Amino acid sequence: MDRSDMRESVRGLQRYYNPPVGGALRMDTNTNVLGSNPAAEAYLRGLRVDLNGYPNTYSDGLRDALAGLYGLQRENFVAGNGSDEVLNTILTAFAEPGRTVCTIPCPSYSLYSYFAALASGSLREAELTEDFQLDVDAMAGKGEEGRGVLIVPSPNNPTGNCFRRRDVEEILARHEGIVVLDEAYSEYAGQTMVDRVDEFDNLVVCKTFSKAYAMAALRVGYCASNLKVAGMLNDVKVPYSLNAVSEGAAIAAVGDQDFIRRSVGMVSEQRPRLSRKLKELGFEPYPSDANFILARSPIDHARLVEGMRERGVLIRDFGANRRTENCVRPTVGTEELNRVMTDAIEDVLAEERR
Ligand SMILES: Cc1ncc(COP(=O)(O)O)c(C=O)c1O
């Protein structure tokens, strides 16, 4: 067997970014720096589960908790093994293989192109404007392109900014196919469209427990849509894909909104401080509504990231990509973690000057 035996559309795929970490401080994955979700942890400590039974097929308990949180119905929701699985389900349900299966802004989340390849179709990329906002004409497809799935991450990763609400609404009105609003970081921006899914024929809002909810290890994600579309998605999704332990932990986490407020409050306080500090150190940080900041490095990006790694701090490197030339993307930490991170940056910069 060799790669020519693989399905043509996936032959070229490479493995996702996953560096060996050892004991390094991870400021490269935008998870919650306050640590594990306390309600989920308490749930796991008291866990008594019948390992011999299947979980609830469509995670009804979690979908009920989410319905309560947003004032919607259980049947508005689709739960999955991380929002990555949910995105995959959406493309499986609504993208026709061999066609333009998906349109995304550029730059945006790197895994979208992977899911387009899994869906056996082509990916259309619509360049963001100079200030990293949506080019509505370029995004909204007509004819063949209009039937594909359009994905809008807001806040966007890696740029960090939210897109203008009026642009998202115009795209929803003009695009004939499904529009996915990927809100992986929306808690930090204090805005969501989940509570508006019933107003639109084609809106699917994706969310995750991996970021503000501090549960990335348990792989829980979900999307919300109108009853018709959510029903179609549940018909397609892999049954039992969310295990019983993760579902129980996620239900507990939904019940502890204080932790989310605390996490978001910390980021709102530290984000402008970190941005100011980066500016002082010669970086050009972009405005962010998320728990990370994209910033142009004053020295070569690869040397900075490597120097940081040697000092035990990981930040994500986007410097070799178009539109984010020489940029890095650190997660916003607590005051203490930001000090550790910026001390390491200062040290690398000082070494460069020697
Ligand atoms: C924009 C965006 N969407 C989705 C995800 C995936 O989230 P999950 O862990 O729920 O699969 C990420 C993770 O980094 C992300 O940045």
Side-chain angles (χ1 to χ4, degrees):
M1 283 285 162
D2 57 31
R3 287 190 89 81
S4 66
D5 294 307
M6 293 174 76
R7 189 196 291 177
E8 200 177 331
S9 58
V10 297
R11 255 176 236 164
L13 285 178
Q14 289 173 357
R15 290 186 205 185
Y16 184 63
Y17 166 86
N18 185 18
V21 288
L25 174 61
R26 296 216 71 162
M27 304 301 274
D28 61 336
T29 54
N30 309 329
T31 49
N32 189 329
V33 293
L34 296 187
S36 291
N37 185 296
E41 233 175 25
Y43 167 82
L44 292 176
R45 270 196 301 271
L47 188 64
R48 295 281 174 275
V49 71
D50 173 15
L51 297 177
N52 193 31
Y54 280 93
N56 182 281
T57 327
Y58 295 98
S59 318
D60 290 349
L62 176 58
R63 294 193 300 143
D64 284 343
L66 294 169
L69 183 66
Y70 294 110
L72 293 171
Q73 299 175 49
R74 172 200 289 178
E75 297 303 331
N76 285 111
F77 293 92
V78 182
N81 195 257
S83 58
D84 283 342
E85 192 214 2
V86 176
L87 286 166
N88 197 25
T89 301
I90 297 166
L91 290 184
T92 305
F94 287 102
E96 202 57 45
R99 299 209 178 127
T100 301
V101 288
C102 164
T103 298
I104 58 171
C106 176
S108 67
Y109 182 42
S110 58
L111 273 188
Y112 297 145
S113 58
Y114 163 81
F115 291 121
L118 289 195
S120 293
S122 56
L123 175 76
R124 194 167 68 91
E125 291 187 283
E127 197 78 18
L128 291 177
T129 60
E130 198 56 37
D131 56 350
F132 289 148
Q133 285 295 324
L134 292 167
D135 178 339
V136 176
D137 289 333
M139 282 295 285
K142 287 198 188 73
E144 153 85 358
E145 287 168 348
R147 292 213 300 253
V149 173
L150 202 146
I151 308 180
V152 180
S154 189
N156 187 28
N157 177 11
T159 61
N161 59 299
C162 275
F163 295 127
R164 282 187 285 266
R165 182 54 53 90
R166 66 169 185 276
D167 290 349
V168 174
E169 290 191 18
E170 192 179 336
I171 285 172
L172 277 161
R174 283 172 56 180
H175 187 71
E176 290 162 27
I178 291 288
V179 176
V180 177
L181 188 61
D182 182 351
E183 292 193 346
Y185 302 96
S186 64
E187 286 83 7
Y188 297 107
Q191 51 176 270
T192 180
M193 283 185 81
V194 169
D195 49 354
R196 295 187 55 197
V197 288
D198 281 326
E199 288 175 38
F200 299 90
D201 184 45
N202 57 345
L203 171 63
V204 178
V205 181
C206 261
K207 294 182 75 84
T208 181
F209 282 81
S210 299
K211 308 298 178 183
Y213 278 79
M215 281 177 47
L218 295 177
R219 307 297 299 131
V220 187
Y222 62 97
C223 70
S225 190
N226 64 58
L227 296 175
K228 219 162 113 192
V229 169
M232 293 186 255
L233 291 171
N234 272 318
D235 291 345
V236 168
K237 105 171 200 104
V238 177
Y240 308 118
S241 62
L242 181 55
N243 71 76
V245 175
S246 294
E247 186 193 357
I251 293 168
V254 169
D256 182 8
Q257 290 300 310
D258 268 357
F259 176 70
I260 307 303
R261 279 189 285 275
R262 206 151 45 81
S263 306
V264 170
M266 186 281 293
V267 168
S268 305
E269 198 180 296
Q270 294 302 326
R271 190 170 50 207
R273 292 188 189 177
L274 178 61
S275 184
R276 267 199 304 277
K277 181 70 186 174
L278 289 171
K279 251 189 218 156
E280 274 170 38
L281 295 174
F283 287 77
E284 288 171 50
Y286 286 94
S288 170
D289 300 301
N291 66 334
F292 55 84
I293 297 175
L294 183 74
R296 187 151 282 122
S297 167
I299 62 167
D300 178 71
H301 61 99
R303 284 211 302 281
L304 173 71
V305 172
E306 179 54 21
M308 300 275 293
R309 196 190 60 74
E310 286 164 6
R311 286 160 179 81
V313 183
L314 302 184
I315 58 170
R316 187 80 188 261
D317 189 358
F318 285 90
N321 301 357
R322 212 169 51 76
R323 297 294 304 274
T324 56
E325 287 88 356
N326 218 36
C327 285
V328 292
R329 191 205 63 190
T331 301
V332 176
T334 58
E335 191 172 358
E336 193 190 333
L337 290 177
N338 289 339
R339 195 172 317 110
V340 171
M341 181 161 67
T342 52
D343 282 354
I345 293 176
E346 286 189 69
D347 210 31
V348 177
L349 297 182
E351 189 176 75
E352 276 285 304
R353 284 195 293 269
R354 266 184 235 129

PDB file of all heavy atoms in Angstrom, residues 82-84 87 109 112 153 157 182 184-185 208 210-211 219-220, ligand 1:
ATOM      1  N   GLY A  82     -15.977  17.512  20.108  1.00  0.00           N
ATOM      2  CA  GLY A  82     -15.270  18.740  19.732  1.00  0.00           C
ATOM      3  C   GLY A  82     -16.013  19.422  18.600  1.00  0.00           C
ATOM      4  O   GLY A  82     -16.757  18.764  17.850  1.00  0.00           O
ATOM      5  N   SER A  83     -15.840  20.744  18.478  1.00  0.00           N
ATOM      6  CA  SER A  83     -16.538  21.412  17.373  1.00  0.00           C
ATOM      7  C   SER A  83     -15.931  20.989  16.043  1.00  0.00           C
ATOM      8  O   SER A  83     -16.556  21.114  14.991  1.00  0.00           O
ATOM      9  CB  SER A  83     -16.569  22.929  17.535  1.00  0.00           C
ATOM     10  OG  SER A  83     -15.291  23.458  17.622  1.00  0.00           O
ATOM     11  N   ASP A  84     -14.711  20.438  16.072  1.00  0.00           N
ATOM     12  CA  ASP A  84     -14.138  19.892  14.836  1.00  0.00           C
ATOM     13  C   ASP A  84     -15.044  18.795  14.262  1.00  0.00           C
ATOM     14  O   ASP A  84     -15.292  18.753  13.061  1.00  0.00           O
ATOM     15  CB  ASP A  84     -12.739  19.308  15.112  1.00  0.00           C
ATOM     16  CG  ASP A  84     -11.682  20.404  15.246  1.00  0.00           C
ATOM     17  OD1 ASP A  84     -11.943  21.542  14.811  1.00  0.00           O
ATOM     18  OD2 ASP A  84     -10.597  20.111  15.778  1.00  0.00           O
ATOM     19  N   LEU A  87     -18.121  20.438  12.748  1.00  0.00           N
ATOM     20  CA  LEU A  87     -17.841  21.047  11.439  1.00  0.00           C
ATOM     21  C   LEU A  87     -17.817  19.974  10.345  1.00  0.00           C
ATOM     22  O   LEU A  87     -18.355  20.156   9.249  1.00  0.00           O
ATOM     23  CB  LEU A  87     -16.482  21.763  11.473  1.00  0.00           C
ATOM     24  CG  LEU A  87     -16.431  23.091  12.249  1.00  0.00           C
ATOM     25  CD1 LEU A  87     -14.982  23.524  12.495  1.00  0.00           C
ATOM     26  CD2 LEU A  87     -17.184  24.188  11.496  1.00  0.00           C
ATOM     27  N   TYR A 109      -8.912  29.714  10.323  1.00  0.00           N
ATOM     28  CA  TYR A 109      -8.531  28.486  11.036  1.00  0.00           C
ATOM     29  C   TYR A 109      -8.024  27.406  10.061  1.00  0.00           C
ATOM     30  O   TYR A 109      -8.724  27.056   9.099  1.00  0.00           O
ATOM     31  CB  TYR A 109      -9.766  28.008  11.793  1.00  0.00           C
ATOM     32  CG  TYR A 109      -9.625  26.775  12.639  1.00  0.00           C
ATOM     33  CD1 TYR A 109      -8.519  26.556  13.442  1.00  0.00           C
ATOM     34  CD2 TYR A 109     -10.660  25.836  12.672  1.00  0.00           C
ATOM     35  CE1 TYR A 109      -8.421  25.430  14.240  1.00  0.00           C
ATOM     36  CE2 TYR A 109     -10.593  24.715  13.475  1.00  0.00           C
ATOM     37  CZ  TYR A 109      -9.462  24.516  14.248  1.00  0.00           C
ATOM     38  OH  TYR A 109      -9.386  23.401  15.044  1.00  0.00           O
ATOM     39  N   TYR A 112      -9.993  24.134   8.550  1.00  0.00           N
ATOM     40  CA  TYR A 112     -11.105  24.159   7.590  1.00  0.00           C
ATOM     41  C   TYR A 112     -10.712  23.483   6.275  1.00  0.00           C
ATOM     42  O   TYR A 112     -11.516  22.772   5.663  1.00  0.00           O
ATOM     43  CB  TYR A 112     -11.564  25.593   7.295  1.00  0.00           C
ATOM     44  CG  TYR A 112     -12.126  26.351   8.475  1.00  0.00           C
ATOM     45  CD1 TYR A 112     -11.917  27.724   8.609  1.00  0.00           C
ATOM     46  CD2 TYR A 112     -12.892  25.717   9.443  1.00  0.00           C
ATOM     47  CE1 TYR A 112     -12.441  28.436   9.676  1.00  0.00           C
ATOM     48  CE2 TYR A 112     -13.408  26.410  10.519  1.00  0.00           C
ATOM     49  CZ  TYR A 112     -13.180  27.769  10.633  1.00  0.00           C
ATOM     50  OH  TYR A 112     -13.695  28.470  11.692  1.00  0.00           O
ATOM     51  N   PRO A 153     -15.509  32.349  10.946  1.00  0.00           N
ATOM     52  CA  PRO A 153     -15.126  32.269  12.358  1.00  0.00           C
ATOM     53  C   PRO A 153     -15.096  33.665  12.966  1.00  0.00           C
ATOM     54  O   PRO A 153     -14.421  34.550  12.459  1.00  0.00           O
ATOM     55  CB  PRO A 153     -13.701  31.690  12.308  1.00  0.00           C
ATOM     56  CG  PRO A 153     -13.201  31.975  10.927  1.00  0.00           C
ATOM     57  CD  PRO A 153     -14.351  32.359  10.051  1.00  0.00           C
ATOM     58  N   ASN A 157      -9.689  33.264  13.957  1.00  0.00           N
ATOM     59  CA  ASN A 157      -8.401  32.720  14.350  1.00  0.00           C
ATOM     60  C   ASN A 157      -7.574  32.583  13.074  1.00  0.00           C
ATOM     61  O   ASN A 157      -8.048  31.941  12.140  1.00  0.00           O
ATOM     62  CB  ASN A 157      -8.624  31.334  14.982  1.00  0.00           C
ATOM     63  CG  ASN A 157      -7.344  30.644  15.362  1.00  0.00           C
ATOM     64  OD1 ASN A 157      -6.273  31.238  15.348  1.00  0.00           O
ATOM     65  ND2 ASN A 157      -7.435  29.360  15.695  1.00  0.00           N
ATOM     66  N   ASP A 182     -18.550  30.210  13.222  1.00  0.00           N
ATOM     67  CA  ASP A 182     -17.742  29.441  14.167  1.00  0.00           C
ATOM     68  C   ASP A 182     -17.377  30.347  15.341  1.00  0.00           C
ATOM     69  O   ASP A 182     -16.502  31.202  15.244  1.00  0.00           O
ATOM     70  CB  ASP A 182     -16.487  28.910  13.457  1.00  0.00           C
ATOM     71  CG  ASP A 182     -15.609  28.059  14.373  1.00  0.00           C
ATOM     72  OD1 ASP A 182     -15.866  28.022  15.594  1.00  0.00           O
ATOM     73  OD2 ASP A 182     -14.657  27.436  13.871  1.00  0.00           O
ATOM     74  N   ALA A 184     -15.920  29.723  18.289  1.00  0.00           N
ATOM     75  CA  ALA A 184     -15.067  29.033  19.265  1.00  0.00           C
ATOM     76  C   ALA A 184     -14.597  29.972  20.384  1.00  0.00           C
ATOM     77  O   ALA A 184     -14.393  29.544  21.517  1.00  0.00           O
ATOM     78  CB  ALA A 184     -13.858  28.408  18.559  1.00  0.00           C
ATOM     79  N   TYR A 185     -14.432  31.266  20.063  1.00  0.00           N
ATOM     80  CA  TYR A 185     -13.901  32.230  21.056  1.00  0.00           C
ATOM     81  C   TYR A 185     -14.916  33.304  21.436  1.00  0.00           C
ATOM     82  O   TYR A 185     -14.547  34.336  21.981  1.00  0.00           O
ATOM     83  CB  TYR A 185     -12.638  32.895  20.486  1.00  0.00           C
ATOM     84  CG  TYR A 185     -11.571  31.894  20.125  1.00  0.00           C
ATOM     85  CD1 TYR A 185     -11.441  31.425  18.817  1.00  0.00           C
ATOM     86  CD2 TYR A 185     -10.716  31.392  21.086  1.00  0.00           C
ATOM     87  CE1 TYR A 185     -10.475  30.481  18.484  1.00  0.00           C
ATOM     88  CE2 TYR A 185      -9.751  30.445  20.775  1.00  0.00           C
ATOM     89  CZ  TYR A 185      -9.643  29.997  19.467  1.00  0.00           C
ATOM     90  OH  TYR A 185      -8.685  29.061  19.151  1.00  0.00           O
ATOM     91  N   THR A 208     -17.709  25.586  21.290  1.00  0.00           N
ATOM     92  CA  THR A 208     -16.846  24.549  21.862  1.00  0.00           C
ATOM     93  C   THR A 208     -16.702  24.695  23.378  1.00  0.00           C
ATOM     94  O   THR A 208     -16.845  25.801  23.913  1.00  0.00           O
ATOM     95  CB  THR A 208     -15.447  24.613  21.209  1.00  0.00           C
ATOM     96  OG1 THR A 208     -14.635  23.571  21.760  1.00  0.00           O
ATOM     97  CG2 THR A 208     -14.738  25.942  21.452  1.00  0.00           C
ATOM     98  N   SER A 210     -13.763  23.756  24.503  1.00  0.00           N
ATOM     99  CA  SER A 210     -12.297  23.654  24.558  1.00  0.00           C
ATOM    100  C   SER A 210     -11.608  24.939  24.985  1.00  0.00           C
ATOM    101  O   SER A 210     -10.447  24.903  25.367  1.00  0.00           O
ATOM    102  CB  SER A 210     -11.739  23.266  23.184  1.00  0.00           C
ATOM    103  OG  SER A 210     -12.229  22.034  22.769  1.00  0.00           O
ATOM    104  N   LYS A 211     -12.263  26.083  24.887  1.00  0.00           N
ATOM    105  CA  LYS A 211     -11.577  27.358  25.114  1.00  0.00           C
ATOM    106  C   LYS A 211     -12.015  27.967  26.454  1.00  0.00           C
ATOM    107  O   LYS A 211     -11.496  27.593  27.488  1.00  0.00           O
ATOM    108  CB  LYS A 211     -11.802  28.287  23.913  1.00  0.00           C
ATOM    109  CG  LYS A 211     -11.465  27.646  22.568  1.00  0.00           C
ATOM    110  CD  LYS A 211     -10.007  27.256  22.432  1.00  0.00           C
ATOM    111  CE  LYS A 211      -9.741  26.565  21.093  1.00  0.00           C
ATOM    112  NZ  LYS A 211      -8.371  26.094  20.939  1.00  0.00           N
ATOM    113  N   ARG A 219     -12.967  16.957  24.781  1.00  0.00           N
ATOM    114  CA  ARG A 219     -13.478  17.023  23.409  1.00  0.00           C
ATOM    115  C   ARG A 219     -15.016  17.127  23.360  1.00  0.00           C
ATOM    116  O   ARG A 219     -15.720  16.145  23.074  1.00  0.00           O
ATOM    117  CB  ARG A 219     -13.034  15.791  22.585  1.00  0.00           C
ATOM    118  CG  ARG A 219     -11.554  15.523  22.588  1.00  0.00           C
ATOM    119  CD  ARG A 219     -10.760  16.669  21.953  1.00  0.00           C
ATOM    120  NE  ARG A 219     -11.090  16.927  20.581  1.00  0.00           N
ATOM    121  CZ  ARG A 219     -11.353  18.172  20.108  1.00  0.00           C
ATOM    122  NH1 ARG A 219     -11.314  19.222  20.906  1.00  0.00           N
ATOM    123  NH2 ARG A 219     -11.633  18.343  18.848  1.00  0.00           N
ATOM    124  N   VAL A 220     -15.514  18.307  23.662  1.00  0.00           N
ATOM    125  CA  VAL A 220     -16.956  18.535  23.552  1.00  0.00           C
ATOM    126  C   VAL A 220     -17.204  19.795  22.729  1.00  0.00           C
ATOM    127  O   VAL A 220     -16.636  20.851  23.012  1.00  0.00           O
ATOM    128  CB  VAL A 220     -17.630  18.714  24.931  1.00  0.00           C
ATOM    129  CG1 VAL A 220     -19.156  18.785  24.762  1.00  0.00           C
ATOM    130  CG2 VAL A 220     -17.246  17.590  25.889  1.00  0.00           C
TER     131      VAL A 220
HETATM  132  C1  LIG B   1     -11.748  28.877  15.085  1.00  0.00           C
HETATM  133  C2  LIG B   1     -11.732  27.517  15.716  1.00  0.00           C
HETATM  134  N1  LIG B   1     -12.767  26.691  15.507  1.00  0.00           N
HETATM  135  C3  LIG B   1     -12.806  25.450  16.045  1.00  0.00           C
HETATM  136  C4  LIG B   1     -11.776  24.993  16.840  1.00  0.00           C
HETATM  137  C5  LIG B   1     -11.835  23.576  17.360  1.00  0.00           C
HETATM  138  O1  LIG B   1     -12.387  23.437  18.564  1.00  0.00           O
HETATM  139  P1  LIG B   1     -12.639  21.990  19.219  1.00  0.00           P
HETATM  140  O2  LIG B   1     -11.568  21.795  20.228  1.00  0.00           O
HETATM  141  O3  LIG B   1     -14.005  22.107  19.816  1.00  0.00           O
HETATM  142  O4  LIG B   1     -12.609  20.960  18.129  1.00  0.00           O
HETATM  143  C6  LIG B   1     -10.679  25.811  17.097  1.00  0.00           C
HETATM  144  C7  LIG B   1      -9.562  25.314  17.927  1.00  0.00           C
HETATM  145  O5  LIG B   1      -8.482  25.852  18.001  1.00  0.00           O
HETATM  146  C8  LIG B   1     -10.648  27.116  16.524  1.00  0.00           C
HETATM  147  O6  LIG B   1      -9.602  27.927  16.719  1.00  0.00           O
END
